[in-house]
Amino acid sequence: MPAALLALAIGAFGIGTTEFVIMGLLPEVATDFGVSIPSAGLLISGYALGVVVGAPLLTAIGSKVSRKTVLIALMGVFIAGNLLSALAPSYGVLMTGRIVAALAHGAFFGVGSVVAASLVPKAKQASAIALMFTGLTVANVLGVPGGTALGQQFGWRSTFWAVTALGVIGLLGIVFLVPKQDTAEGPGLRVELAVFKNVQVWLALAMTALGFAGVFASFTYIAPMMTEVAGFSSGAVTWLLVLFGGGLVVGNLLGGKAADRSLMPSLYVILALLAAVLVVFVFTAHAKVPAAITIAIFGAAGFATVAPLQKRVMDKAVGAPALASAANIAAFNLGNAIGAYLGGLTISHGLGYTAPNWVGAALAIAGLLAALTSGALDHRRRTETSPVLTAV
């Protein structure tokens, strides 16, 4: 593994930790600033909005700068946002810090995916992307539980100080380990924007948004599903999330390897598996052991999509992958918001805590249909461009 991939993974670990750790610290933040839990929960929504806006915007701004320089600048923005959060004297300043940190999120993963792919032969590019995203998955296994425990023990600000330190380590790793790239390598903003004329790029973004909407329709409500339906104590939820995170790590690596062998068939299988697991989860959620096993499989199926989806949009954005890759990170977060909203609707309408799994399955199937449509267009193009043999 190139050492540069380790530097990218460390940056991804810090970003993944700061994105989700706030979920476990909402009571502490709400008490400190005298706001309600729902108001504190808007810190999660604000972060997601920052990702959606920042991913294409910052990537576009840096389109004429070397990708290494862009990554360094993005880690600087990330550090500044978390430092502001750690020092925040008010709820409004904390929200600002969260949004500033989020601006770097999508662009980092978008540009980082392109850099990761450039470090290895073409046949191993999806695996390289998966290795970078391993930092994000490990954040869910170690960073989020660890950051939550740290914040509960020493105050929520200590968590943001720790994440700031992680950002500094990631920054130094990029400075010293990521190889230099010439500014001339970038195709320029006009070329980057032109790739969005390609319907296949939009289909790839649709696969991402729909597939991850399926994941978050269920995952957002995993805590009440496990306590109210499966019968776990609230204290067991942390360990169930660790189990889910372990599935993320395994699925992420397996998805990258599968995509290197055969990209689109892998996506068909993974999205179908995700839909099937969510349907099964409706029934297994009623008992502790089956629910715990399903959570691990759900995590694996959900994150097995990440590297293939990221590789697909990069492949279709021929010659100008950075902006499209960042837009795909925005699509992941858009899917998160859509899935959480639709899953919540089923609960608010009295359909029960397992109902979001049905929504997730439907969204995953919609993502599969987008993938099949994209694959059919590929097949038609190959057929149309194949030489026609005629008898002489």
Side-chain angles (χ1 to χ4, degrees):
M1 177 181 74
L5 285 177
L6 176 61
L8 294 173
I10 291 172
F13 178 82
I15 290 172
T17 298
T18 202
E19 179 179 17
F20 295 115
V21 74
I22 193 69
M23 294 179 183
L25 298 174
L26 290 184
E28 288 77 10
V29 172
T31 300
D32 198 10
F33 290 127
V35 299
S36 67
I37 291 290
S39 294
L42 292 176
L43 293 167
I44 299 168
S45 302
Y47 189 96
L49 179 61
V51 175
V52 172
V53 173
L57 179 61
L58 294 191
T59 305
I61 291 172
S63 62
K64 292 187 177 181
V65 183
S66 78
R67 288 174 185 143
K68 178 174 180 177
T69 301
V70 171
L71 288 174
I72 291 171
L74 291 171
M75 287 308 299
V77 171
F78 173 77
I79 291 167
N82 281 288
L83 183 60
L84 183 60
S85 297
L87 296 170
S90 67
Y91 172 83
V93 176
L94 177 57
M95 176 66 82
T96 301
R98 291 282 293 166
I99 293 173
V100 170
L103 290 174
H105 180 127
F108 179 87
F109 281 106
V111 176
S113 294
V114 178
V115 172
S118 72
L119 297 172
V120 297
K122 187 172 180 61
K124 295 183 178 180
Q125 288 181 347
S127 292
I129 294 169
L131 282 171
M132 183 191 74
F133 274 92
T134 296
L136 181 61
T137 58
V138 173
N140 284 278
V141 180
L142 301 177
V144 173
T148 299
L150 179 68
Q152 290 172 343
Q153 183 69 28
F154 299 103
W156 63 266
R157 295 178 190 276
S158 64
T159 299
F160 285 99
W161 283 114
V163 174
T164 300
L166 281 173
V168 172
I169 295 171
L171 173 62
L172 293 174
I174 291 168
V175 169
F176 292 108
L177 298 178
V178 173
K180 183 178 179 180
Q181 297 185 359
D182 295 333
T183 304
E185 284 187 13
L189 181 57
R190 181 174 297 180
V191 178
E192 292 274 8
L193 288 172
V195 302
F196 291 98
K197 296 178 181 179
N198 183 352
V199 68
Q200 287 283 34
V201 171
W202 287 105
L203 281 170
L205 295 175
M207 289 180 229
T208 297
L210 291 168
F212 246 63
V215 174
F216 267 74
S218 174
F219 178 60
T220 302
Y221 305 101
I222 201 76
M225 195 187 310
M226 291 301 96
T227 56
E228 300 297 327
V229 180
F232 284 102
S233 67
S234 58
V237 172
T238 297
W239 297 108
L240 290 170
L241 292 178
V242 171
L243 190 62
F244 179 83
L248 298 187
V249 175
V250 174
N252 178 55
L253 295 175
L254 292 178
K257 291 182 180 298
D260 278 334
R261 290 194 296 270
S262 185
L263 179 57
M264 290 307 292
S266 295
L267 274 174
Y268 302 152
V269 172
I270 293 168
L271 288 168
L273 175 63
L274 175 60
V277 170
L278 285 166
V279 170
V280 170
F281 203 10
V282 173
F283 304 99
T284 58
H286 293 273
K288 289 182 178 180
V289 174
I293 293 171
T294 308
I295 283 175
I297 298 172
F298 173 38
F303 249 70
T305 63
V306 174
L309 288 169
Q310 195 72 1
K311 182 65 165 55
R312 177 65 175 179
V313 77
M314 288 166 59
D315 284 351
K316 291 306 172 183
V318 178
L323 185 57
S325 182
N328 202 45
I329 302 300
F332 277 117
N333 282 268
L334 180 62
N336 295 354
I338 292 172
Y341 172 72
L342 294 178
L345 281 182
T346 65
I347 295 174
S348 63
H349 282 75
L351 299 178
Y353 287 116
T354 61
N357 293 327
W358 288 115
V359 175
L363 289 166
I365 290 171
L368 174 59
L369 292 175
L372 290 169
T373 301
S374 182
L377 290 178
D378 278 346
H379 178 72
R380 187 173 72 180
R381 182 176 180 182
R382 285 193 298 268
T383 302
E384 290 174 349
T385 56
S386 296
V388 179
L389 300 178
T390 57
V392 178

